[in-house]
Amino acid sequence: MVIVDDTGTIKVVNAQTQALFGYQRDELLGQPVEILVPQRLRAHHMLHRDAYAANGQVRPMGAGLELYGLRKDGSEFPVEISLSPLETTDGLLVSAAVRDVSDRKAAEERFRGLLEAAPDAMVIVDGNGTIRLVNAQTEVLFGHRREELLGQPVELLVPAHLRGHHGQHRDAYAGSRQVRPMGAGLELYGLRKDGSEFPVEISLSPLETTDGLLVSAAVRDVSDRKAAEAELTALYEQQRHVALTLQRSLMGTPPAVPGLVTASRYRPATQGAGVGGDWFDLIPLGAGRVGILIGDVMGRGLEAAAAMGQLRSAAHALAKTGMQPRRLIQTLDTCVADLNVPDQLVTCCYLVVAADEAEVTMCSAGHLPLLVAAPGQKARPLPTPINAPLGVGDILYEQSTTTVPPGATLVLYTDGLIETPDCDIEDRLGELAATCTAQFSAQTPALERVADRILATLRPDAEGHDDDVTLLLAQLPAPPLASLTATLPARPEAVREGRALFTKALASWDCHEQADDARLLLSELLTNAVQHAQGPLTLRACRTATELTVEVSDASPHLPAPRRADEHEESGRGLNLVRALADTWGVRPTDEGKTTWFTLRL
């Protein structure tokens, strides 16, 4: 504390003054105060002293100026000085509180050095958003000289269309100060002196100082990164489009099956590679039978899609042979092993729908339960033996045959429909069953509407799933209008007996136009069975609104094949007749032997 009169003569000092300036008290008293001021600053000091005497008040001296004190040994040191007027009987005295700020100035210099060494542009503002300090990187990044920025509002560096929100963000930060990124989740932009905008990332840090709260903003130009991200996004979308196009090409478009009403939905994953191994297929098998396939190759990306394409093609070809579900699944298991894809597992389900018998024969390889829904009934899983997924190896697959209500709807799906990280899969399966029950509560609805409702209930967020979602609804064909089933011995008279039963049935079914061809073809099938197969023989015929189907089953596993008969041979033309006269025909293996069939359109 140094107290002087209006002439600047020192009247009082305290012990701290002696320690700070290195003088004894008696060396200071009566001396002009300029003894404590460096020579180069004394002229200005006198001017400031005279100005203060004219309007004395409590205030800092030389606000905004660099002030220095002079020690007895001639060394200078930075100071802060606060002035207070003292009215006395002897006139005006002035009290000067002098503080050595050498340590703080040194710290400030170190801080400035660190600021200049920072790799990012550093902008320090006060609570009002006024720029107090910047570094060289700020000048380079924004194109402003340092003196053009100091004292200016920080909004000078913000594009005009963002300035309104910027003030709100700044005020919010002052209320909950912490080290954090600015505008997390927002697109931030800076404004250069030339008016150009550029994307930035900003990290904020609070700085508590004697002058109050300052905020340090580290600003980084992310133009290159944004450009790289945009390029990667474009490349990703291009690859995703290629992958999805490939996948859809491999999946194919299942054909329309006469009498079978279907509705399907496929949503590729919205995260990750965006392409997976889901597939489904419908295979007309003839004789009123339809094969339905659904499968899921575990994994993501083109590798899974390629494996799916191979398996779908193989399964379709195998199904066209009339192969039973368990044999088809068994063969597919071998195909998976031959794909040479490490740790490749596949879930798959194949079922054969026989409308004339109201039966579904099914084999599942680790696939989720399929549901059957009928009007007025509770949707329920189709019972089937539990088998391991394809690719496990050394598994004996089993199948089951279930009677289903006429007109019932089968609900097939992949795990992407019901599996979510935060829900138990049994609960989700129950939710699917409840949704199906509600949709089929009274009468059979439009399947397209049911498919939309299932997706809206189970997967309401169309853009938030990380696995393919596949759904297939298949409404079973109506049962035949009439049918005939008879068991015959494998003897020559079986041909005559079968023709007689069949002729009577044709007359009652009003199939007069096709009667001659139908009897001839049945005779050929029965004759072949009697001559080349084992009994007993089973004759099955049925009439729908559009076609007549005839089947002859026997106990021989050997499949017949058409051959070219010699000109003088009396036999060998039976299957050629069938091929020539029937609209469709075929042979399918059974557990007991085989079944040869043909159809005639009505």
Side-chain angles (χ1 to χ4, degrees):
M1 301 295 298
V2 180
I3 299 176
V4 301
D5 61 15
D6 56 357
T7 66
T9 302
I10 299 175
K11 295 297 185 180
V12 180
V13 296
N14 63 359
Q16 284 79 4
T17 304
Q18 299 177 78
L20 181 61
F21 288 91
Y23 288 96
Q24 294 299 314
R25 192 184 305 258
D26 55 5
E27 292 179 300
L28 295 175
L29 296 179
Q31 296 296 321
V33 73
E34 282 75 21
I35 193 176
L36 304 178
V37 178
Q39 182 68 40
R40 57 189 172 85
L41 301 177
R42 289 178 182 174
H44 292 290
H45 183 270
M46 292 178 181
L47 293 175
H48 288 304
R49 179 164 50 77
D50 293 342
Y52 183 79
N55 57 352
Q57 54 182 324
V58 178
R59 66 174 176 82
M61 178 180 177
L65 300 178
E66 294 284 338
L67 303 180
Y68 290 87
L70 179 66
R71 293 189 179 94
K72 184 178 180 179
D73 62 9
S75 61
E76 298 182 10
F77 59 98
V79 295
E80 280 183 351
I81 303 175
S82 296
L83 303 179
S84 302
L86 299 174
E87 295 289 347
T88 72
T89 56
D90 296 329
L92 177 67
L93 299 181
V94 178
S95 171
V98 184
R99 176 174 294 172
D100 182 359
V101 292
S102 299
D103 291 342
R104 195 180 75 189
K105 290 292 184 180
E108 288 178 356
E109 288 302 319
R110 289 195 297 270
F111 176 73
R112 290 174 186 273
L114 292 173
L115 203 65
E116 293 299 328
D120 298 322
M122 302 297 296
V123 181
I124 297 177
V125 301
D126 61 19
N128 297 318
T130 302
I131 299 173
R132 294 302 181 192
L133 200 61
V134 297
N135 63 356
Q137 286 78 359
T138 304
E139 297 180 271
V140 173
L141 183 59
F142 288 92
H144 290 278
R145 297 194 308 276
R146 194 174 307 228
E147 55 270 21
E148 294 175 327
L149 294 175
L150 298 180
Q152 297 296 319
V154 72
E155 282 74 21
L156 177 68
L157 306 178
V158 178
H161 62 92
L162 299 177
R163 288 175 185 172
H165 296 293
H166 185 270
Q168 298 171 9
H169 291 305
R170 181 163 47 76
D171 293 341
Y173 182 79
S176 59
R177 61 196 70 166
Q178 56 182 322
V179 177
R180 65 171 177 82
M182 177 181 177
L186 301 178
E187 293 287 336
L188 302 180
Y189 290 87
L191 178 67
R192 294 189 177 94
K193 184 178 181 179
D194 62 10
S196 61
E197 298 182 14
F198 59 101
V200 295
E201 278 185 351
I202 302 176
S203 296
L204 303 178
S205 302
L207 299 174
E208 296 289 350
T209 72
T210 56
D211 296 327
L213 175 68
L214 298 180
V215 177
S216 170
V219 185
R220 176 172 296 177
D221 182 357
V222 292
S223 300
D224 292 341
R225 195 183 74 191
K226 290 289 185 181
E229 287 176 354
E231 185 177 351
L232 286 175
T233 299
L235 181 60
Y236 169 79
E237 288 301 325
Q238 180 183 7
Q239 290 179 338
R240 175 182 167 86
H241 176 72
V242 170
L244 288 175
T245 302
L246 173 62
Q247 185 189 33
R248 293 182 188 279
S249 175
L250 292 173
M251 181 182 288
T253 302
V257 179
L260 186 71
V261 181
T262 64
S264 63
R265 297 290 185 272
Y266 171 72
R267 285 183 182 174
T270 58
Q271 303 173 20
V275 60
D278 285 13
W279 91 90
F280 67 90
D281 201 0
L282 301 172
I283 306 103
L285 301 177
R289 292 170 178 261
V290 180
I292 304 177
L293 266 165
I294 190 164
D296 182 5
V297 179
M298 298 180 187
R300 311 290 310 141
L302 291 177
E303 192 174 72
M308 174 274 288
Q310 295 178 73
L311 290 175
R312 180 187 180 277
S313 298
H316 188 94
L318 292 170
K320 294 293 285 185
T321 68
M323 183 178 290
Q324 292 191 78
R326 63 180 176 83
R327 294 186 182 276
L328 182 143
I329 294 295
Q330 197 83 53
T331 306
L332 279 186
D333 183 56
T334 304
C335 293
V336 172
D338 291 341
L339 288 178
N340 294 322
V341 180
D343 303 322
Q344 187 73 75
L345 290 178
V346 180
T347 67
C348 180
C349 184
Y350 177 54
L351 54 149
V352 175
V353 178
D356 57 338
E357 301 174 42
E359 289 182 345
V360 174
T361 301
M362 179 173 67
C363 182
S364 174
H367 205 77
L368 290 165
L370 309 186
L371 302 181
V372 57
Q377 299 183 22
K378 186 176 181 180
R380 58 181 175 84
L382 275 176
T384 185
I386 299 175
N387 297 310
L390 303 177
V392 174
D394 198 25
I395 299 294
L396 184 63
Y397 291 94
E398 301 179 51
Q399 68 183 29
S400 62
T401 299
T402 306
T403 301
V404 294
T409 298
L410 299 176
V411 182
L412 300 89
Y413 56 94
T414 56
D415 57 2
L417 179 67
I418 66 172
E419 281 191 355
T420 56
D422 54 346
C423 291
D424 184 89
I425 194 168
E426 292 294 336
D427 294 338
R428 296 281 288 173
L429 183 57
E431 187 177 357
L432 173 60
T435 302
C436 293
T437 299
Q439 293 300 305
F440 289 87
S441 58
Q443 58 185 3
T444 303
L447 294 191
E448 295 291 338
R449 180 169 62 82
V450 175
D452 289 337
R453 176 55 58 186
I454 290 174
L455 282 185
T457 303
L458 275 296
R459 282 295 186 183
D461 183 6
E463 299 300 324
H465 51 93
D466 56 4
D467 195 7
D468 290 4
V469 176
T470 301
L471 172 67
L472 173 64
L473 305 178
Q475 188 179 62
L476 274 62
L481 301 177
S483 63
L484 164 69
T485 301
T487 301
L488 305 170
R491 297 196 299 268
E493 56 266 27
V495 179
R496 183 180 66 254
E497 294 175 9
R499 281 175 59 92
L501 292 171
F502 188 48
T503 299
K504 186 181 296 185
L506 290 175
S508 65
W509 295 350
D510 191 24
C511 296
H512 305 295
E513 292 185 7
Q514 290 80 16
D516 290 341
D517 287 348
R519 280 193 297 269
L520 173 61
L521 298 183
L522 172 63
S523 298
E524 294 298 333
L525 295 189
L526 288 173
T527 300
N528 278 349
V530 168
Q531 292 180 350
H532 305 292
Q534 303 171 9
L537 310 180
T538 300
L539 165 63
R540 181 180 293 109
C542 66
R543 183 199 192 284
T544 67
T546 58
E547 66 181 16
L548 174 69
T549 300
V550 179
E551 299 179 352
V552 174
S553 301
D554 59 57
S556 172
H558 300 292
L559 304 184
R563 68 181 181 87
R564 183 179 297 277
D566 187 75
E567 182 179 355
H568 302 292
E569 288 186 87
E570 297 181 0
S571 63
R573 299 177 179 83
L575 288 184
N576 287 319
L577 281 173
V578 175
R579 184 170 61 177
L581 297 178
D583 291 302
T584 58
W585 78 283
V587 183
R588 66 173 182 268
T590 65
D591 284 337
E592 296 77 20
K594 65 179 178 294
T595 296
T596 307
W597 57 270
F598 68 85
T599 63
L600 295 171
R601 281 194 296 270
L602 300 179

